[in-house]
Amino acid sequence: MTTTYLITGANRGIGLEMSRQILESGDRLYAVCRNPETATGLNKFVQESNGRGQIFKSDAYDEIALANIANAIVGGIDVLVCNAGVMSARGGLSDAENNVASVSEVLMTNTAGPFFAARAFHKNLKLSSAPRICIISSYMGSQQHQGASAYFYRASKAGANNIMVTLANELKSDGITVASFHPGWVKTEMGGSGADITPQVSASGLIQQFQGLKIANTGAFLNYDGKSLPL
Ligand SMILES: NC(=O)c1ccc[n+]([C@@H]2O[C@H](COP(=O)([O-])OP(=O)(O)OC[C@H]3O[C@@H](n4cnc5c(N)ncnc54)[C@H](OP(=O)(O)O)[C@@H]3O)[C@@H](O)[C@H]2O)c1
């Protein structure tokens, strides 16, 4: 049976690779990104997908644009993947990049983004027989991960995990499974070239986890290889 995915931040990094693998496998994809006109790779994969892919334009926290996409989608969404994310200041207390503008951007994108996406696409998810919301978080957001840097990235992902738990509780009665995921340390623009794994390995692990998600897993924080992680 074909699975229908919606992925945010689908134009590069892990989001682009998940999009490529989903379309290659024969599933259906709604790909959301800020600038479809410059998303060359994504446009190519969608064009080659025989009509199974469609690209929409939205910022991760643009409530109106997300609601318009939800209205434009005819039918259901099985798996909503909240992947769009940004890392701002990587340093400590004295890092000048910890300023109001960058803190707002990281919290709005990484923490509020999944909430606004869940709200916009709730009605599409309710049309699915196996609806799932998968938030791409980070182990850096775990209270067990000891770090002394990247204050607001960590806080934003801890917040995303908290949003995940609240969504899991509220949406359980709708049969919607909600979980968050650490994608690994991945060689992307964000992860850098010294990271542990390729986007291909991360994306294929994540998609496998999305496919196996059941309502019994709701509220879980999982590694891309399925290992359970502490919130
Ligand atoms: N790479 C890692 O090692 C790693 C580790 C842990 C967690 N993660 C998480 O995995 C996810 C994907 O990361 P990545 O490594 O693929 O990063 P990336 O290569 O930097 O890509 C980030 C994606 O998010 C999009 N994005 C950023 N801010 C946005 C906004 N306000 N609205 C809409 N889209 C926005 C970007 O779009 P533009 O091209 O328009 O900027 C891009 O598509 C993120 O949530 C990240 O926090 C990554």
Side-chain angles (χ1 to χ4, degrees), residues 212-226:
L213 269 189
K214 301 271 180 300
I215 197 76
N217 310 118
T218 205
F221 180 30
L222 301 169
N223 201 38
Y224 73 98
D225 60 5

Side-chain angles (χ1 to χ4, degrees), residues 58-140:
S58 180
D59 198 288
Y61 53 88
D62 184 337
E63 285 185 274
I64 294 171
L66 292 170
N68 287 339
I69 296 169
N71 288 332
I73 291 173
V74 181
I77 294 170
D78 300 307
V79 185
L80 167 63
V81 185
C82 304
N83 165 77
V86 66
M87 185 182 234
S88 50
R90 293 174 188 249
L93 270 183
S94 60
D95 188 336
E97 278 185 42
N98 281 319
N99 56 49
V100 170
S102 77
V103 169
S104 305
E105 183 64 15
V106 77
L107 293 177
M108 286 305 293
T109 304
N110 298 358
T111 311
F115 171 83
F116 288 126
R119 182 154 78 184
F121 300 112
H122 184 203
K123 63 180 183 179
N124 311 87
L125 287 160
K126 284 204 286 186
L127 297 174
S128 165
S129 57
R132 286 148 277 174
I133 298 175
C134 301
I135 296 174
I136 307 303
S137 178
S138 170
Y139 186 50
M140 285 175 74

Side-chain angles (χ1 to χ4, degrees), residues 9-221:
N11 59 305
R12 61 183 169 95
I14 301 165
L16 178 62
E17 180 57 21
M18 287 192 287
S19 299
R20 188 190 70 76
Q21 292 187 19
I22 283 164
L23 290 172
E24 194 179 71
S25 74
D27 284 328
R28 185 163 174 73
L29 173 71
Y30 298 116
V32 181
C33 60
R34 289 195 276 202
N35 297 300
E37 52 291 346
T38 57
T40 319
L42 181 62
N43 275 288
K44 178 174 175 287
F45 300 143
V46 166
Q47 273 157 21
E48 291 167 354
S49 73
N50 294 322
R52 283 178 293 100
Q54 205 173 338
I55 304 177
F56 291 99
K57 179 181 175 79
S58 180
D59 198 288
Y61 53 88
D62 184 337
E63 285 185 274
I64 294 171
L66 292 170
N68 287 339
I69 296 169
N71 288 332
I73 291 173
V74 181
I77 294 170
D78 300 307
V79 185
L80 167 63
V81 185
C82 304
N83 165 77
V86 66
M87 185 182 234
S88 50
R90 293 174 188 249
L93 270 183
S94 60
D95 188 336
E97 278 185 42
N98 281 319
N99 56 49
V100 170
S102 77
V103 169
S104 305
E105 183 64 15
V106 77
L107 293 177
M108 286 305 293
T109 304
N110 298 358
T111 311
F115 171 83
F116 288 126
R119 182 154 78 184
F121 300 112
H122 184 203
K123 63 180 183 179
N124 311 87
L125 287 160
K126 284 204 286 186
L127 297 174
S128 165
S129 57
R132 286 148 277 174
I133 298 175
C134 301
I135 296 174
I136 307 303
S137 178
S138 170
Y139 186 50
M140 285 175 74
S142 169
Q143 304 304 325
Q144 303 305 311
H145 188 269
Q146 298 298 313
S149 62
Y151 279 80
F152 291 97
Y153 182 75
R154 289 178 197 283
S156 73
K157 294 299 190 180
N161 284 346
N162 194 275
I163 293 275
M164 179 278 290
V165 170
T166 312
L167 284 170
N169 291 333
E170 183 175 359
L171 302 182
K172 198 167 188 175
S173 57
D174 288 332
I176 301 176
T177 302
V178 190
S180 58
F181 295 85
H182 174 58
W185 184 23
V186 191
K187 295 179 202 290
T188 61
E189 238 169 84
M190 185 185 292
S193 56
D196 287 337
I197 57 172
T198 61
Q200 289 78 4
V201 169
S202 175
S204 87
L206 288 167
I207 292 167
Q208 210 178 322
Q209 298 314 312
F210 304 160
Q211 288 168 343
L213 269 189
K214 301 271 180 300
I215 197 76
N217 310 118
T218 205
F221 180 30

